[in-house]
Amino acid sequence: MNPRELQLAPDANVHAVESAARAFGLWTTRLQGSDGHTAALEIQSHSQWVDPSELATIPGVSRVLGTTSGHPRVDSLKGQQTTIGDAVFGAAPVLIAGPCSVDSPEQVHACAAMARAAGATVLRGGAYKPRTSPYSFDGTGLEGLGWLRDAADAHGLAVVTEVMSERRVDAVAEVADLMQVGSRNMQNFALLDEVGRAAKPVLLKRGVASSVKEWLLSAERLLVAGAPTVVLCERGIRGDDGTTRNLLDLGAVALLKRVHGLNIVVDPSHAIGRRDLIGDLAAAALACGADGLMIEIHPDPASARCDGPQALGDAELERVGALIAADPRSTSVPSR
Amino acid sequence: MNPRELQLAPDANVHAVESAARAFGLWTTRLQGSDGHTAALEIQSHSQWVDPSELATIPGVSRVLGTTSGHPRVDSLKGQQTTIGDAVFGAAPVLIAGPCSVDSPEQVHACAAMARAAGATVLRGGAYKPRTSPYSFDGTGLEGLGWLRDAADAHGLAVVTEVMSERRVDAVAEVADLMQVGSRNMQNFALLDEVGRAAKPVLLKRGVASSVKEWLLSAERLLVAGAPTVVLCERGIRGDDGTTRNLLDLGAVALLKRVHGLNIVVDPSHAIGRRDLIGDLAAAALACGADGLMIEIHPDPASARCDGPQALGDAELERVGALIAADPRSTSVPSR
Amino acid sequence: MNPRELQLAPDANVHAVESAARAFGLWTTRLQGSDGHTAALEIQSHSQWVDPSELATIPGVSRVLGTTSGHPRVDSLKGQQTTIGDAVFGAAPVLIAGPCSVDSPEQVHACAAMARAAGATVLRGGAYKPRTSPYSFDGTGLEGLGWLRDAADAHGLAVVTEVMSERRVDAVAEVADLMQVGSRNMQNFALLDEVGRAAKPVLLKRGVASSVKEWLLSAERLLVAGAPTVVLCERGIRGDDGTTRNLLDLGAVALLKRVHGLNIVVDPSHAIGRRDLIGDLAAAALACGADGLMIEIHPDPASARCDGPQALGDAELERVGALIAADPRSTSVPSR
Amino acid sequence: MNPRELQLAPDANVHAVESAARAFGLWTTRLQGSDGHTAALEIQSHSQWVDPSELATIPGVSRVLGTTSGHPRVDSLKGQQTTIGDAVFGAAPVLIAGPCSVDSPEQVHACAAMARAAGATVLRGGAYKPRTSPYSFDGTGLEGLGWLRDAADAHGLAVVTEVMSERRVDAVAEVADLMQVGSRNMQNFALLDEVGRAAKPVLLKRGVASSVKEWLLSAERLLVAGAPTVVLCERGIRGDDGTTRNLLDLGAVALLKRVHGLNIVVDPSHAIGRRDLIGDLAAAALACGADGLMIEIHPDPASARCDGPQALGDAELERVGALIAADPRSTSVPSR
């Protein structure tokens, strides 16, 4: 239950209850009856999470009211880990790397080699690409899926790849260890239902303007439909000022990790879109608890068919890999 | 100069220039003449910064056009450090801590002791408080300024405090080592001019919806008016979804630190507003290069007269202090 | 072509060109070469649209550069009308009314009668409902589609209804005169492709955080896939402050109507979400040129299965109908 | 009191209360105790405003709780009119027109003549201009104030002009009939206090990212400090997509007019920033109840020293004047 209100006993000292609430990290607003008497304190949504039973002990509080989360299955994931091949989300941080789009067997093999060398355990790569313009290159499709799987297998990596159409769910499920739902489809409910039915773990990206609540309800939908688990992926929301591609919301990452206990990774490539700053945001993401990073790479960014300006090359990827390796969580788990 | 356009030679291979631009991390858009011929590539603002002279070497590029920054004095701060007492912004990360509002001599002394013990070198505290409601407590004023100075002196700390009125600039300048301009006043140009005239270093908070460009132009105004230097402070922008108080823009921090070479600190207290997540965002801020943290503390949050729910107590502050101490930049400079 | 830059002749008087640009309603920024000489003026995107050939006549301008729109098929709709039953979008303003969700034959028949009486020519109603929570009522499906068609036929109305799944496109196309793609699916590219293939007119709602450019590119995709035409629908974007449901962007409506010459309707029900203000926003939408209004109604809001708080009853709908009837465009066309 | 919660009687039928709330236009959320029993319905902030005493009559509701507005003086303005010279805000719509900046006696006289001819009763014009860059022209100051007053007097107009500095409040108060506080200073509390002390009516522009609540609390501050009344001015908020300058929030206008009963005008010039669309937004503003329009004009936009691209010329201003003249509220009041 999310606490939303402290009901006051008739003889409560309002100031004293407000003080106690403040000590618990709660922002409150007074609710009054028509007689002007304060009958309750409303708890604002950006307050620290506190167990309702603790709040009930505040002298002067007669009852704590709250809302149900609306996503019981997501809540039941709290504290769990998700294992995909050699990656264990929720244990040591995971490096997911690969090209924006799967362009050719050679390119994706080169990427897999780069990824592996930098410590990645999961290969990303788009065979189906969501493109704002209908005239843009939108992926190599089924053929690309095959190249992706081959490259991953050749280098001992698991595969995450996006599915964009209800009609391609089976094809993608055959290849992917982790099925990605992209940010533009976060509220494509028909797709979520179909992906859930494939009964595979899902990586769910946040919509560019979605609230945390909407995001969790989409995760709930996947679980209801049959997905065994969901890994969330923050990739930046709209609201930037033009000097960066999107606005990375690490507050949401901290919230989902610390308070909700979910597995969440960060995609700094899409968040910032600038090659010179991806490393800094990667470090920030790990520092605030992200369970992994998803990085776009390319053996030769000049020839990338999509998002080349944000693709990292060898040296830059190695630095990101070093961040992961240096994370205290990496060093505290036995090597795999 | 900020590169904005690659003019093409008449016989340029457009695809080849686009590839080369991509390799440099540039997002580009074709500009055509009325004949449909591509005459130039416009460089989008979220591209990696590249020196125009490097871009001029791309085969097929006849000329690189750009814009002046509009803030030459800010640009001249690139790579400089700012020394305020024992704090050296731009060298090792600085811990600024103190109460939201200066409530009493006892409270601010207790805060100063807490701050010092956690490794802070600068004491923050508001004697004049900007309050959305005219009925809220708005500070202890001149008297509070005195308490703040005394407490800082007693514990060997420097003082940063906000000035909100043109008429209080002299009074604040007498007490403060670093004069703070708050986010609501970032574009209060009369105040900026007056604060600049006081010829003291300024901490300039970002407006809740300001672009990086507007922020830098406000810094420029301070410098033009006489301020010797400006330390920027990111404190979260509007755009959150209600579960956090504001949205911390660490992409802007990385940009201002790595590309502009400016001194920038982060205020995670206002950014997130939740005591349970301040530590995570503090860690993230340091990881992406922030020159310091500004943290609200209180010896007894229950009795805080302002923003108590986001005030850290002793144990939490110590953890933030430990983050600073563990930062590689802290350990690489000789102890002071 | 969208003008983006005025290239300057070597001997141009920069100030004079800037003045002339200003007179044309252009906001410009100077672009300089490495020698500091201003070589061009960049035209900012919020400038008035001016034909490039007019700009080319400014003394000192050697050439006008611009971008192609990227949506040639949308551009070719400029000034065209869309006829759906008795509704002619682009001629007199059209009233589209109906329930949020099709709950029962009785309810939708009652709505159709209300709609017809108020002057509506198109009946709206959701048989498939996009719901943020997987546990919410999501529509009566195929059965509801049948009720909707029957009710429309009984009252001489055309039908617009939403399609959410690639697999339901045929079923919806059989019933709908105008196929609706909802805001959450504005960038569901697989769905857009499939809907386009049905070769029926489409009502495309704007995504809650979509730019005008993204919206037009989604319209382009529908046209490329086979849709004969697209009517746009503005329904409010995110960015409100909590006192209204969404933020209605009438600037975009004016832009798309006056500058792009497209058919665009406004959904004030979702935009504001408050029954007491829907009428005011409906009036505003018509005043700035909207080709129609899409209004949620219910014979008994208390029993509505979805969005009851924003449903209009009889009297309120009549007032909206009166606004349409009083619009100068309504009175200037022969009665149908 | 703003209703925020319906407390339920122990034996209440929750569904029935929810239905009744829906019929009243309320969006509600269930609040439960630790026993899972629904004890209250929280009323969401984007619900229709309903008198708490009406809600108390719903069967099953034991009590209605709410919040005080926090701005009692603003509330007391409900339904009042503000008379400034020949303008009566709250009666017939008022046309305020004039240049962005007062550049010369000739220019402001020409503007005053244009304004008067188009039906304006108030002349606007900036003698002190807030400029993002410290290097931009920032007004002709005291001298400009004199020109403005002369021009207004010569044409029988009242004067509204912006004050940006606490130190210029007296000088501006001497000249202005209506003192303007600009959007960048909406939360410059020192300025608000000083302007209030001048005891003249104030035009308060909304901050570019301010909530309605914050705006009203700034108005409250002016009233507390001594201002006899406040006219609000919506001028667009941040959140646009680049094709328009700002995003005009007419939902807020309707809310403040219909629900709060305040005087509010709209500045479409700054909102949209495009000369080709200002007329459309002006019409929309009037249609949704705005008490007036504030329009930037210039006899020769090419020579304007500030914001020329959005200045209207003679013919365009006349069309705006005609909109005002045709407004039913204009024709229903006796000519002055």
Side-chain angles (χ1 to χ4, degrees):
Chain A
M1 192 177 82
N2 297 318
R4 290 284 292 172
E5 178 176 321
L6 306 177
Q7 288 200 337
L8 301 180
D11 59 345
N13 177 330
V14 180
H15 281 289
V17 178
E18 286 174 328
S19 280
R22 207 180 293 136
F24 272 115
L26 305 187
W27 300 87
T28 59
T29 305
R30 294 181 179 194
L31 294 184
Q32 309 179 327
S34 54
D35 56 358
H37 191 78
T38 297
L41 298 180
E42 189 181 271
I43 301 170
Q44 292 181 245
S45 55
H46 63 280
S47 296
Q48 170 161 327
W49 190 85
V50 183
D51 194 288
S53 63
E54 283 193 70
L55 298 176
T57 66
I58 298 176
V61 170
S62 62
R63 190 155 61 152
V64 180
L65 297 185
T67 54
T68 54
S69 75
H71 39 68
R73 289 175 195 244
V74 168
D75 298 342
S76 71
L77 296 179
K78 189 168 186 166
Q80 292 194 5
Q81 300 180 345
T82 301
T83 302
I84 308 286
D86 288 344
V88 187
F89 296 91
V94 172
L95 179 57
I96 305 170
C100 173
S101 64
V102 174
D103 296 347
S104 70
E106 295 70 31
Q107 170 244 23
V108 68
H109 271 272
C111 285
M114 278 172 72
R116 176 73 189 199
T121 47
V122 185
L123 179 67
R124 60 149 290 156
Y128 299 102
K129 296 300 305 173
R131 301 307 298 268
T132 304
S133 165
Y135 304 115
S136 295
F137 167 67
D138 66 353
T140 47
L142 272 181
E143 202 172 14
L145 283 179
W147 301 335
L148 186 65
R149 186 72 262 174
D150 288 347
D153 290 344
H155 294 88
L157 300 167
V159 162
V160 58
T161 192
E162 179 168 355
V163 56
M164 288 176 53
S165 163
E166 300 164 61
R167 300 211 162 117
R168 296 289 172 266
V169 167
D170 290 345
V172 172
E174 218 167 281
V175 163
D177 301 295
L178 182 61
M179 298 182 72
Q180 178 177 326
V181 174
S183 64
R184 290 176 187 77
N185 286 316
M186 194 202 88
Q187 292 196 312
N188 175 349
F189 300 131
L191 181 65
L192 294 177
D193 288 343
E194 197 69 25
V195 168
R197 269 177 226 122
K200 292 206 120 181
V202 181
L203 183 91
L204 179 65
K205 287 198 150 188
R206 182 182 187 180
V208 289
S210 296
S211 69
V212 167
K213 179 78 182 262
E214 291 166 339
W215 194 7
L216 294 178
L217 286 169
S218 285
E220 183 78 5
R221 186 177 288 268
L222 286 163
L223 297 170
V224 167
T229 193
V230 175
V231 175
L232 301 170
C233 179
E234 160 69 21
R235 43 80 74 207
I237 58 175
R238 206 146 276 195
D240 65 316
D241 71 353
T243 51
T244 53
R245 195 173 180 192
N246 287 289
L247 187 53
L248 185 62
D249 184 4
L250 289 181
V253 173
L255 177 74
L256 291 165
K257 182 69 191 168
R258 303 292 171 189
V259 178
H260 294 263
L262 299 174
N263 295 158
I264 178 161
V265 301
V266 168
D267 173 350
S269 306
H270 282 88
I272 194 92
R274 294 173 63 128
R275 202 182 292 148
D276 48 0
L277 302 179
I278 291 172
D280 285 332
L281 288 186
L286 291 175
C288 80
D291 293 310
L293 298 172
M294 191 160 181
I295 304 282
E296 286 192 2
I297 61 175
H298 204 285
D300 173 24
S303 70
R305 296 186 71 176
C306 121
D307 284 359
Q310 71 191 26
L312 298 192
D314 250 325
E316 296 143 326
L317 178 63
E318 263 169 48
R319 280 194 289 272
V320 172
L323 287 173
I324 297 248
D327 188 283
R329 294 170 290 173
S330 295
T331 51
S332 69
V333 297
S335 67
R336 284 168 270 129
Chain B
M1 193 177 82
N2 297 318
R4 291 284 292 171
E5 178 176 321
L6 305 177
Q7 288 200 337
L8 301 180
D11 59 344
N13 177 330
V14 180
H15 281 289
V17 178
E18 286 174 327
S19 281
R22 207 180 291 135
F24 272 115
L26 305 188
W27 300 86
T28 59
T29 305
R30 293 181 182 195
L31 295 184
Q32 307 179 328
S34 54
D35 56 358
H37 191 76
T38 298
L41 299 180
E42 188 181 272
I43 301 170
Q44 293 180 245
S45 55
H46 62 281
S47 296
Q48 171 161 327
W49 190 84
V50 183
D51 193 289
S53 63
E54 283 193 67
L55 299 176
T57 66
I58 298 176
V61 170
S62 62
R63 190 154 62 151
V64 181
L65 296 185
T67 54
T68 54
S69 75
H71 39 68
R73 289 173 195 244
V74 168
D75 298 341
S76 71
L77 296 179
K78 189 166 186 170
Q80 293 193 4
Q81 301 180 344
T82 300
T83 302
I84 308 286
D86 288 343
V88 186
F89 296 92
V94 172
L95 180 56
I96 305 171
C100 172
S101 64
V102 174
D103 296 347
S104 69
E106 295 70 31
Q107 170 243 23
V108 68
H109 271 272
C111 285
M114 280 173 71
R116 175 74 188 196
T121 47
V122 184
L123 179 67
R124 61 149 288 153
Y128 299 101
K129 296 298 306 171
R131 301 306 299 268
T132 303
S133 164
Y135 305 115
S136 296
F137 167 67
D138 65 353
T140 46
L142 271 182
E143 203 173 14
L145 282 180
W147 301 336
L148 186 65
R149 184 73 262 175
D150 288 349
D153 289 345
H155 294 87
L157 300 167
V159 162
V160 59
T161 193
E162 179 168 355
V163 56
M164 288 175 54
S165 162
E166 300 163 62
R167 300 211 163 117
R168 295 289 171 268
V169 167
D170 290 344
V172 172
E174 218 167 280
V175 163
D177 300 296
L178 182 61
M179 298 182 72
Q180 178 177 325
V181 173
S183 65
R184 291 175 186 79
N185 286 316
M186 194 200 89
Q187 292 196 312
N188 174 348
F189 301 131
L191 182 65
L192 295 177
D193 288 343
E194 196 70 24
V195 168
R197 270 179 223 119
K200 293 204 120 184
V202 182
L203 183 91
L204 179 65
K205 287 197 150 189
R206 182 182 186 180
V208 289
S210 295
S211 68
V212 167
K213 178 79 183 259
E214 290 165 339
W215 194 8
L216 295 179
L217 286 170
S218 285
E220 183 77 5
R221 185 178 287 269
L222 286 164
L223 297 171
V224 167
T229 192
V230 175
V231 175
L232 301 170
C233 178
E234 161 69 23
R235 45 77 77 206
I237 57 175
R238 206 145 274 193
D240 65 317
D241 71 353
T243 51
T244 51
R245 194 173 181 194
N246 287 290
L247 188 51
L248 185 62
D249 184 5
L250 289 181
V253 173
L255 177 74
L256 290 166
K257 182 70 190 165
R258 303 292 172 191
V259 178
H260 294 264
L262 299 174
N263 295 158
I264 180 162
V265 300
V266 169
D267 172 351
S269 306
H270 282 89
I272 194 93
R274 295 174 61 128
R275 203 182 291 148
D276 47 0
L277 302 179
I278 289 171
D280 286 332
L281 288 187
L286 291 176
C288 80
D291 293 309
L293 298 171
M294 190 162 183
I295 305 282
E296 286 193 1
I297 62 174
H298 204 284
D300 172 25
S303 69
R305 296 186 73 177
C306 126
D307 284 359
Q310 71 192 24
L312 298 192
D314 250 326
E316 297 143 327
L317 178 63
E318 264 170 45
R319 280 195 288 273
V320 173
L323 287 173
I324 296 249
D327 190 282
R329 293 170 290 173
S330 296
T331 51
S332 70
V333 295
S335 68
R336 284 168 271 127
Chain C
M1 191 177 85
N2 297 317
R4 291 284 292 171
E5 178 176 319
L6 305 177
Q7 288 201 336
L8 301 181
D11 59 346
N13 176 330
V14 180
H15 282 289
V17 178
E18 286 174 328
S19 281
R22 208 181 292 136
F24 272 114
L26 305 187
W27 300 86
T28 59
T29 305
R30 293 183 181 192
L31 295 184
Q32 308 178 328
S34 54
D35 55 0
H37 191 78
T38 298
L41 299 180
E42 190 180 271
I43 300 169
Q44 291 181 247
S45 55
H46 63 281
S47 297
Q48 172 161 328
W49 190 85
V50 183
D51 193 289
S53 63
E54 283 193 68
L55 298 177
T57 66
I58 298 175
V61 169
S62 62
R63 192 155 60 152
V64 181
L65 296 185
T67 55
T68 54
S69 75
H71 40 67
R73 289 173 195 245
V74 168
D75 298 340
S76 71
L77 295 179
K78 188 168 187 168
Q80 292 194 5
Q81 301 180 343
T82 301
T83 302
I84 307 287
D86 289 344
V88 187
F89 296 92
V94 172
L95 179 58
I96 305 170
C100 173
S101 64
V102 174
D103 296 347
S104 70
E106 295 70 31
Q107 171 242 23
V108 68
H109 271 272
C111 285
M114 278 173 73
R116 177 71 189 200
T121 47
V122 185
L123 180 66
R124 60 149 289 154
Y128 299 101
K129 296 300 307 171
R131 301 308 298 268
T132 304
S133 164
Y135 304 114
S136 296
F137 167 67
D138 66 354
T140 47
L142 271 181
E143 203 172 15
L145 282 180
W147 302 335
L148 185 66
R149 185 72 259 176
D150 289 348
D153 288 346
H155 293 87
L157 300 167
V159 163
V160 59
T161 194
E162 179 168 354
V163 55
M164 288 176 53
S165 161
E166 300 164 63
R167 299 207 162 120
R168 294 289 172 268
V169 167
D170 290 344
V172 171
E174 217 167 283
V175 162
D177 301 296
L178 184 60
M179 299 182 72
Q180 178 178 324
V181 174
S183 64
R184 290 176 186 78
N185 285 317
M186 194 201 87
Q187 292 196 311
N188 174 347
F189 300 131
L191 181 65
L192 293 177
D193 288 343
E194 197 69 24
V195 168
R197 269 176 226 123
K200 292 206 122 186
V202 182
L203 183 91
L204 179 65
K205 286 197 151 191
R206 182 182 185 179
V208 290
S210 296
S211 69
V212 167
K213 179 78 183 261
E214 290 165 339
W215 195 5
L216 294 178
L217 287 169
S218 285
E220 183 78 6
R221 186 178 288 269
L222 286 164
L223 296 171
V224 167
T229 192
V230 175
V231 175
L232 301 170
C233 179
E234 161 68 24
R235 45 78 75 205
I237 57 175
R238 208 145 275 195
D240 65 316
D241 72 351
T243 52
T244 52
R245 195 173 181 193
N246 287 291
L247 187 53
L248 185 61
D249 184 3
L250 290 181
V253 174
L255 177 74
L256 291 165
K257 182 69 189 166
R258 305 290 173 190
V259 179
H260 294 264
L262 300 174
N263 295 157
I264 179 161
V265 300
V266 167
D267 173 351
S269 307
H270 281 88
I272 194 93
R274 294 173 62 129
R275 203 183 291 150
D276 49 359
L277 301 179
I278 291 172
D280 285 333
L281 288 186
L286 291 176
C288 81
D291 292 310
L293 298 171
M294 191 160 180
I295 304 283
E296 286 193 2
I297 61 175
H298 204 283
D300 173 25
S303 70
R305 297 185 73 176
C306 116
D307 283 359
Q310 72 192 24
L312 298 191
D314 250 324
E316 297 144 326
L317 179 62
E318 264 169 47
R319 279 194 289 274
V320 172
L323 287 173
I324 297 248
D327 189 282
R329 293 170 290 174
S330 296
T331 52
S332 69
V333 297
S335 68
R336 282 169 270 129
Chain D
M1 192 177 85
N2 298 316
R4 291 285 292 173
E5 179 175 319
L6 306 177
Q7 288 200 337
L8 300 181
D11 60 344
N13 177 330
V14 180
H15 281 290
V17 179
E18 286 174 328
S19 280
R22 207 180 292 135
F24 273 115
L26 305 188
W27 299 87
T28 59
T29 305
R30 293 181 181 195
L31 295 184
Q32 309 179 326
S34 54
D35 55 359
H37 190 77
T38 297
L41 298 180
E42 188 181 271
I43 300 170
Q44 293 181 246
S45 56
H46 63 280
S47 296
Q48 171 161 326
W49 189 84
V50 183
D51 193 287
S53 63
E54 284 193 67
L55 298 176
T57 67
I58 298 175
V61 169
S62 62
R63 192 155 59 151
V64 181
L65 297 185
T67 54
T68 54
S69 75
H71 39 69
R73 290 174 194 244
V74 168
D75 297 342
S76 71
L77 295 180
K78 189 167 185 168
Q80 292 193 5
Q81 300 180 344
T82 301
T83 302
I84 308 286
D86 288 343
V88 187
F89 296 92
V94 173
L95 179 57
I96 305 170
C100 173
S101 64
V102 174
D103 296 348
S104 69
E106 294 70 32
Q107 171 243 22
V108 68
H109 271 272
C111 285
M114 279 172 72
R116 176 73 188 198
T121 47
V122 185
L123 180 66
R124 62 149 289 155
Y128 299 101
K129 297 299 307 172
R131 301 307 299 270
T132 304
S133 164
Y135 304 115
S136 296
F137 166 67
D138 65 354
T140 46
L142 272 181
E143 202 172 15
L145 283 179
W147 302 336
L148 186 65
R149 185 71 262 176
D150 288 348
D153 289 345
H155 294 87
L157 300 166
V159 163
V160 59
T161 194
E162 179 168 356
V163 55
M164 287 174 55
S165 162
E166 300 164 62
R167 299 209 163 120
R168 295 289 171 267
V169 168
D170 290 344
V172 171
E174 218 169 280
V175 162
D177 301 295
L178 184 61
M179 298 183 72
Q180 177 178 325
V181 173
S183 64
R184 290 176 186 79
N185 285 316
M186 195 201 87
Q187 293 196 311
N188 174 348
F189 301 132
L191 181 65
L192 294 176
D193 288 344
E194 196 70 24
V195 168
R197 270 179 223 121
K200 293 206 119 182
V202 181
L203 183 91
L204 179 64
K205 288 197 149 188
R206 181 182 187 179
V208 290
S210 295
S211 70
V212 167
K213 179 78 182 260
E214 290 165 339
W215 195 7
L216 295 178
L217 286 169
S218 286
E220 183 78 4
R221 185 178 287 269
L222 285 164
L223 296 170
V224 167
T229 192
V230 174
V231 175
L232 302 170
C233 180
E234 161 69 22
R235 46 77 76 206
I237 57 175
R238 207 146 275 195
D240 65 317
D241 71 353
T243 52
T244 52
R245 195 173 180 194
N246 287 289
L247 188 52
L248 185 62
D249 184 4
L250 289 181
V253 173
L255 177 74
L256 291 165
K257 182 69 190 167
R258 306 291 173 190
V259 178
H260 294 262
L262 299 174
N263 296 157
I264 179 162
V265 300
V266 168
D267 173 350
S269 307
H270 282 88
I272 194 93
R274 295 174 62 128
R275 203 183 290 149
D276 49 359
L277 301 179
I278 290 171
D280 285 333
L281 288 186
L286 291 176
C288 81
D291 292 310
L293 298 172
M294 191 162 180
I295 305 282
E296 286 193 0
I297 61 175
H298 204 283
D300 173 25
S303 70
R305 296 185 72 176
C306 119
D307 283 0
Q310 71 192 25
L312 298 192
D314 250 324
E316 297 143 327
L317 178 63
E318 263 169 46
R319 280 195 288 273
V320 172
L323 287 172
I324 297 247
D327 189 284
R329 293 170 291 174
S330 296
T331 51
S332 69
V333 295
S335 68
R336 284 168 270 128

